[in-house]
């Protein structure tokens, strides 16, 4: 058997292991959705009453922002899980087995991707109950859900690379919040970027989160009628820009995470 075939087989085996492990612990999905649901209710029914988005339904506008933010927050579970495994010595156990080194990371990210699917379903149902509606076609909606899933999968590789160097899961969790909250709030997730101060607007317009949010709003048919036309390329071509962001993140962080894993198990 070639080394590639062996790596694929090991990756599938560890993916099944992580899926079974996650299915036996549904609390992961429940608590991964609890905070985003609280955010959705808070923004939709408290802050949203004071925000006017070109006369459109604010709850429909912000649900996509909540969905995208949830994908990033859920992706941190991968990094926290790896940091936890490192702390408990599970990685040392894998090191003693005759398996491909990259398979451990592939199994972890693929297993967590199933959780991401369940969170997308749960958050979408929550949005529908709050008044969000899919006004685009079936194919466009399917592409939007695929984009959210791929964005979460790419983000999980970022947290995997960070988790391999974190000193503890607690440190990683707090550090990721300090990164993810500005990333989602300095974007067009909850308010249009046109109203931001000039420096923040530049950051928001080129933020990958803004591209994903704009793409999903476009594909779901949730762009407010009076919203000005975007002035920067990523928001003028949000679907293409979003898939390019996903490809770029994977191209950088998959090999980086594998390299850090090899370094960690060699010590």
């Amino acid at each position: 058997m070639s080394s590639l075939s062996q790596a694929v087989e090991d990756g599938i085996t560890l993916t099944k292991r992580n899926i079974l492990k996650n299915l036996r612990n549904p609390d992961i999905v429940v608590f991964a959705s609890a905070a985003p649901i609280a955010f959705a209710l808070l923004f939709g029914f408290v802050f949203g009453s004071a925000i006017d988005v070109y006369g459109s339904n604010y709850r429909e506008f912000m649900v996509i922002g909540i969905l995208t933010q949830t994908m990033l927050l859920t992706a941190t579970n991968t990094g926290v899980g790896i940091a936890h495994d490192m702390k408990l010595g599970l990685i040392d156990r894998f090191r003693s087995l005759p398996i491909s080194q990259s398979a451990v990371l592939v199994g972890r990210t693929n297993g967590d991707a199933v959780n991401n699917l369940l969170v997308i379903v749960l958050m979408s149902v929550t949005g529908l109950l709050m008044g969000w509606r899919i006004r685009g076609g079936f194919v466009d909606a399917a592409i939007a859900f695929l984009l959210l899933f791929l964005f979460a999968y790419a983000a999980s590789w970022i947290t995997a690379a960070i988790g391999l160097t974190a000193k503890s899961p607690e440190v990683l969790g707090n550090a990721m919040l300090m990164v993810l909250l500005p990333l989602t709030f300095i974007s067009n997730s909850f308010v249009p970027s046109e109203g931001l101060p000039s420096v923040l607007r530049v950051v928001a317009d080129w933020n990958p989160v803004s591209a994903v949010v704009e793409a999903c709003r476009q594909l779901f048919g949730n762009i407010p009628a009076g919203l000005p036309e975007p002035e920067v390329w990523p928001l003028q071509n949000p679907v293409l820009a979003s898939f390019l962001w996903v490809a770029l993140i994977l191209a950088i962080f998959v090999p980086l995470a594998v390299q850090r894993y090899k370094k960690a198990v060699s010590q």
Side-chain angles (χ1 to χ4, degrees):
M1 181 180 293
S2 68
S3 58
L4 178 60
S5 300
Q6 182 67 48
V8 171
E9 186 173 321
D10 292 341
I12 293 173
T13 301
L14 288 176
T15 297
K16 291 178 180 176
R17 172 192 175 276
N18 283 300
I19 290 174
L20 289 174
K21 180 183 173 185
N22 291 338
L23 290 177
R24 289 169 183 166
N25 189 13
D27 290 353
I28 295 175
V29 175
V30 173
F31 285 102
S33 306
I37 289 174
F39 265 115
L41 296 175
L42 186 65
F43 274 88
F45 294 100
V46 180
F47 297 149
S49 60
I51 301 175
D52 181 23
V53 183
Y54 300 95
S56 68
N57 181 348
Y58 179 70
R59 287 199 288 275
E60 188 168 280
F61 179 84
M62 67 89 194
V63 161
I64 304 303
I66 292 286
L67 270 171
T68 308
Q69 183 191 49
T70 304
M71 292 300 96
L72 289 175
L73 292 174
T74 306
T76 62
N77 289 336
T78 300
V80 171
I82 289 176
H84 191 257
D85 288 345
M86 296 280 288
K87 184 178 181 180
L88 294 181
L90 184 61
I91 299 298
D92 292 332
R93 169 62 176 156
F94 284 134
R95 179 173 57 179
S96 67
L97 299 175
I99 59 175
S100 166
Q101 294 184 334
S102 61
V104 175
L105 297 178
V106 172
R108 165 67 69 170
T109 51
N110 288 354
D112 289 345
V114 176
N115 280 355
N116 295 338
L117 276 177
L118 297 175
V119 172
I120 288 174
V121 172
L122 193 54
M123 290 307 300
S124 297
V125 172
T126 301
L128 290 170
L129 292 175
M130 292 179 62
W132 170 60
R133 294 294 180 265
I134 298 173
R135 304 186 188 284
F138 174 80
V139 175
D140 285 348
I143 294 173
F145 282 122
L146 174 65
L147 180 55
L148 286 170
F149 172 76
L150 291 177
F151 188 58
Y153 183 72
S156 70
W157 278 97
I158 298 177
T159 66
I162 298 172
L164 287 163
T165 56
K167 294 183 178 178
S168 72
E170 294 82 6
V171 170
L172 176 69
N174 292 329
M176 290 308 302
L177 277 180
M178 292 176 63
V179 175
L180 295 180
L181 289 182
L183 194 63
T184 52
F185 281 101
I186 305 177
S187 71
N188 59 359
S189 296
F190 302 107
V191 293
S193 60
E194 286 76 12
L196 296 176
S198 55
V199 175
L200 292 182
R201 181 177 178 180
V202 172
V203 176
D205 285 347
W206 289 89
N207 185 341
V209 173
S210 293
V212 174
V213 169
E214 186 77 4
C216 289
R217 283 196 182 119
Q218 193 176 92
L219 292 166
F220 284 132
N222 295 147
I223 298 287
L227 196 67
E229 288 293 324
E231 298 178 357
V232 296
W233 186 86
L235 300 185
Q236 292 171 342
N237 305 275
V239 178
L240 176 59
S242 298
F243 280 110
L244 288 176
W245 272 117
V246 169
L248 180 63
I249 291 171
L250 289 174
I252 294 174
F253 285 95
V254 170
L256 179 62
V258 172
Q259 182 188 44
R260 287 188 173 182
Y261 177 80
K262 290 179 178 177
K263 183 178 179 180
V265 298
S266 65
Q267 293 175 347

